[in-house]
């Protein structure tokens, strides 16, 4: 057999508005214009529910600053009156605040409702907003179990309004480039994927400090965090997940700690704990959470070794897709570094990437993708980092939502309820599989008709 010739070259990929897509795949990639309100020549009237850190920053202050000529905040809602008061001041919008979500809808009559509340409450606000006649932009995950998911699907069908799920990972340049490579057929038909995500001891532990550490609120990291990863897989592979089997356990955080307390500030073990976090070093976190915890009792600096934490900190998932692709996925939440490894194996080659979060002492400003042809050469494709959060994904996502909703979407990056549902259903199926020790079929969870390919059609 002829040995592979390793011819390594480097080039930078410049983002272009054009695409290499051809044939039916190209047709499937063109999304419908995103109409989020009835009067595009007037400012979009937006109500925001959930004034935590994501609400007041990414979907609050940043939207107000960057799209003030396109949008108008007409109401803010949160169960915590202190966060409401601070959030309004921080965002800089002169609009009324509400504890009662229903009252906000009646009084403000928004075109669009942005939902950034605790995950297991998303469905409540999404459905009420749809029934009121507003469109919805919701943070991921869309919701946390199959029953709530079905309720959202039913409400969207009934009302005719739309739900957009904010999958900002789709918009980052290097993930878009992977999408292109797979569509171009550079590695032939994809047969299997190896996908392993690593949360470091800073980011990973933070999920165990917050409400995300409880299955009831966040659905486990398989739903809250992995929804991003499962959505990427669904999007990249252009097929629906069919069956899932998973393992998961908690072996590092929670009850596994040698000592514990309620939260970090009063902890007697702070000098001996590697996970001690001084929230008072951030004035923003003090203003948003510490100064308002007397209203609802929420301790943002919760101990990562609380014994009642019930989510997994290591997970391994096997996914079979309708088109026959097999995926091996894992998530570890206590790694020494942050990032992921991914490899797509195809009939004509392999594309892989080792994406590691840049450390403060590192100067690298590119991500690299390695493309290897069977019996051919290897090419190293360098992708410049985008500006803003999530590798540039946040800015590009918000431009699509608020600057020009009708802009073309050749890579099908805008995600609706079907995308939001299928991403969480993989996580929900994995969670159900861990609890039952049985494989779970996606078709048994909701009434979504699964497709082998052409998900964008």
């Amino acid at each position: 057999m002829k040995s592979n010739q390793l011819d390594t070259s480097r080039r930078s990929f410049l983002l272009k508005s054009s695409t290499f897509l051809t044939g039916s795949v190209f047709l499937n990639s063109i999304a419908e214009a995103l109409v989020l309100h009835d009067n595009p020549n007037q400012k979009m009237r937006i109500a925001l529910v959930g004034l935590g850190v994501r609400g007041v920053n990414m979907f609050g202050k940043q939207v107000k600053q960057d799209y003030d000529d396109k949008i108008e905040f007409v109401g803010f809602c949160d169960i915590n009156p202190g966060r409401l008061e601070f959030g309004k001041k921080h965002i800089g919008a002169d609009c009324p605040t509400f504890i009662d979500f229903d009252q906000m809808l009646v009084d403000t009559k928004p075109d669009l409702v942005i939902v950034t509340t605790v995950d297991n409450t998303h469905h409540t606000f999404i459905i009420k907003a749809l029934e009121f006649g507003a469109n919805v932009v919701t943070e991921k995950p869309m919701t946390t179990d199959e029953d709530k998911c079905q309720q959202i699907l039913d409400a969207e069908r009934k009302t005719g309004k739309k739900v957009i799920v904010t999958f900002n990972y789709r918009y980052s340049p290097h993930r878009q480039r992977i999408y292109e490579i797979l569509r171009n057929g550079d590695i032939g038909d994809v047969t299997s994927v190896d996908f392993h995500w690593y949360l470091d001891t800073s980011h990973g532990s933070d999920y165990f400090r917050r409400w995300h550490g409880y299955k009831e609120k966040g659905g486990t990291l398989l739903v809250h965090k992995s929804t991003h990863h499962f959505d990427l897989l669904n999007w990249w592979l252009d097929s629906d997940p069919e069956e899932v089997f998973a393992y998961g356990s908690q072996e590092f955080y929670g009850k596994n700690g040698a000592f514990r307390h309620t939260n970090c500030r009063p902890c007697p073990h702070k000098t001996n704990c590697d996970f001690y976090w001084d929230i008072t070093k951030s004035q923003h976190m003090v203003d948003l959470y510490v100064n308002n915890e007397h209203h609802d009792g929420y301790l943002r600096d919760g101990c990562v070794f609380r014994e009642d934490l019930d989510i997994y900190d290591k997970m391994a998932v096997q996914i079979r897709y309708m088109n026959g692709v097999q995926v091996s996925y894992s998530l570890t939440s206590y790694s020494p570094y942050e990032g992921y490894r991914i490899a797509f194996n195809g009939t004509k080659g392999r594309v892989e990437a080792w994406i590691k979060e840049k450390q403060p002492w590192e100067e690298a400003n590119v991500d690299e993708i390695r493309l290897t042809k069977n019996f051919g050469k290897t090419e190293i494709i360098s992708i410049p980092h985008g500006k803003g959060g999530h590798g540039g994904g946040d800015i590009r996502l918000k431009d699509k939502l608020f600057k020009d909703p009708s802009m073309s979407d050749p890579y099908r990056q805008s995600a609706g309820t079907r995308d939001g549902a299928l991403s969480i259903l993989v996580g929900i199926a994995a969670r159900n599989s861990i609890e039952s020790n049985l494989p779970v079929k996606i078709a048994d969870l909701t009434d979504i008709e699964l497709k082998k390919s052409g998900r964008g059609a």
Side-chain angles (χ1 to χ4, degrees):
M1 178 180 291
K2 181 181 179 180
S3 61
N4 286 5
Q5 296 177 340
L6 185 62
D7 175 19
T8 302
S9 62
R10 293 180 179 271
R11 64 183 174 86
S12 293
F13 173 71
L14 301 178
L15 293 176
K16 299 179 180 180
S17 59
S18 61
T19 176
F20 300 109
L21 306 180
T22 57
S24 62
V25 176
F26 177 80
L27 295 176
N28 287 340
S29 72
I30 303 300
E32 295 180 359
L34 192 61
V35 181
L36 295 181
H37 66 131
D38 296 330
N39 300 301
N41 294 324
Q42 299 179 9
K43 286 189 175 184
M44 188 189 311
R45 296 171 56 82
I46 297 178
L48 172 64
V49 56
L51 271 71
V53 69
R54 183 61 60 90
V56 302
N57 291 321
M58 178 172 174
F59 287 105
K61 186 174 183 176
Q62 293 171 19
V63 169
K64 177 71 168 61
Q65 289 178 343
D66 297 341
Y67 308 97
D68 197 43
D69 61 329
K70 300 290 186 181
I71 66 96
E72 175 188 3
F73 281 112
V74 296
F76 298 138
C77 181
D78 196 281
I79 60 172
N80 187 305
R83 282 202 299 270
L84 267 177
E85 181 180 355
F86 170 74
K88 177 179 177 179
K89 179 180 178 181
H90 179 74
I91 294 169
D94 184 17
C95 65
T97 59
F98 301 84
I99 299 293
D100 188 317
F101 181 71
D102 292 352
Q103 191 63 51
M104 180 176 71
L105 292 178
V106 172
D107 288 358
T108 66
K109 299 177 176 59
D111 301 308
L112 178 73
V113 173
I114 300 177
V115 178
T116 56
T117 58
V118 174
D119 295 348
N120 69 335
T121 66
H122 284 182
H123 72 295
T124 298
F125 301 111
I126 292 171
I127 293 170
K128 285 186 175 183
L130 292 173
E131 291 177 341
F132 182 80
N135 293 304
V136 177
V137 166
T138 182
E139 254 295 304
K140 60 79 191 168
M142 192 170 72
T143 189
T144 55
D145 66 46
E146 59 267 48
D147 294 333
K148 294 172 183 175
C149 180
Q150 186 65 59
Q151 292 173 36
I152 293 172
L153 296 173
D154 291 342
E156 186 182 55
R157 294 165 186 163
K158 178 181 178 182
T159 63
K161 308 306 290 187
K162 295 296 181 184
V163 179
I164 304 300
V165 185
T166 56
F167 285 127
N168 41 16
Y169 277 22
R170 290 187 180 195
Y171 289 83
S172 65
H174 87 267
R175 296 178 184 114
Q176 178 179 302
R177 185 65 176 112
I178 290 175
Y179 182 93
E180 281 189 280
I181 291 170
L182 298 177
R183 292 299 172 280
N184 295 343
D186 288 342
I187 63 169
D189 295 329
V190 178
T191 57
S192 65
V193 184
D194 305 309
F195 194 8
H196 307 290
W197 202 286
Y198 313 100
L199 295 171
D200 65 22
T201 50
S202 175
H203 188 191
S205 65
D206 212 35
Y207 290 109
F208 292 81
R209 290 191 183 98
R210 309 185 308 226
W211 53 261
H212 304 80
Y214 299 102
K215 185 186 304 183
E216 178 187 1
K217 294 182 180 295
T220 76
L221 291 179
L222 285 166
V223 176
H224 174 81
K225 181 62 178 174
S226 298
T227 183
H228 265 320
H229 313 154
F230 298 144
D231 176 68
L232 285 173
L233 286 167
N234 297 345
W235 177 61
W236 278 326
L237 297 175
D238 194 40
S239 184
D240 291 340
E242 181 181 17
E243 186 173 271
V244 175
F245 184 79
Y247 292 104
S249 63
Q250 185 188 101
E251 66 175 17
F252 190 85
Y253 298 109
K255 60 183 178 298
N256 299 288
F259 44 74
R260 57 192 45 81
H261 200 65
T262 54
N263 61 309
C264 286
R265 274 165 289 155
C267 182
H269 309 289
K270 62 179 66 175
T271 58
N272 300 318
C273 183
D274 291 332
F275 292 93
Y276 169 68
W277 177 55
D278 187 356
I279 192 174
T280 64
K281 289 184 176 181
S282 169
Q283 189 58 49
H284 181 64
M285 298 300 280
V286 170
D287 291 338
L288 187 58
Y289 292 110
V290 175
N291 291 344
N292 301 307
E293 60 192 22
H294 63 282
H295 291 294
D296 56 13
Y298 178 52
L299 302 174
R300 176 58 182 79
D301 61 340
C303 178
V304 301
F305 298 121
R306 302 191 306 282
E307 290 189 336
D308 62 342
L309 295 172
D310 61 355
I311 66 170
Y312 322 115
D313 53 27
K314 71 169 186 180
M315 294 135 274
V317 183
Q318 296 293 311
I319 312 165
R320 185 177 69 219
Y321 276 79
M322 294 288 288
N323 63 1
V325 174
Q326 297 176 356
V327 175
S328 295
Y329 168 87
S330 69
L331 176 65
T332 305
S333 60
Y334 44 88
S335 296
Y337 47 74
E338 181 103 356
Y340 65 92
R341 293 180 184 269
I342 191 163
F344 298 84
N345 303 299
T347 56
K348 296 181 180 180
R350 175 181 168 97
V351 61
E352 56 194 313
W354 171 207
I355 306 298
K356 189 175 178 182
E357 292 292 330
K358 184 168 72 72
Q359 300 299 319
W361 59 85
E362 296 176 324
E363 297 181 358
N365 61 354
V366 297
D367 292 317
E368 292 186 343
I369 300 171
R370 184 183 182 93
L371 174 61
T372 305
K373 300 291 186 66
N374 289 349
F375 318 110
K377 65 179 182 178
T378 290
E379 181 181 14
I380 305 298
I381 305 170
S382 297
I383 313 296
H385 284 173
K387 295 181 180 179
H390 295 91
D394 287 357
I395 293 175
R396 299 172 77 196
L397 166 69
K398 288 185 290 185
D399 279 351
K400 172 66 173 172
L401 290 173
F402 307 116
K403 184 178 182 179
D404 184 10
S406 64
M407 71 171 61
S408 63
D409 188 13
Y411 304 102
R412 209 178 62 79
Q413 288 158 307
S414 183
T417 49
R418 194 174 194 278
D419 302 292
L422 287 170
S423 70
I424 60 172
L425 289 176
V426 177
I428 291 166
R431 188 183 67 212
N432 292 353
S433 176
I434 293 169
E435 294 176 352
S436 67
N437 199 33
L438 295 170
V440 176
K441 292 187 179 298
I442 298 295
D444 292 340
L445 301 177
T446 67
D447 66 2
I448 292 177
E449 183 179 350
L450 303 181
K451 298 179 182 180
K452 182 177 180 180
S453 62
R455 297 179 64 249

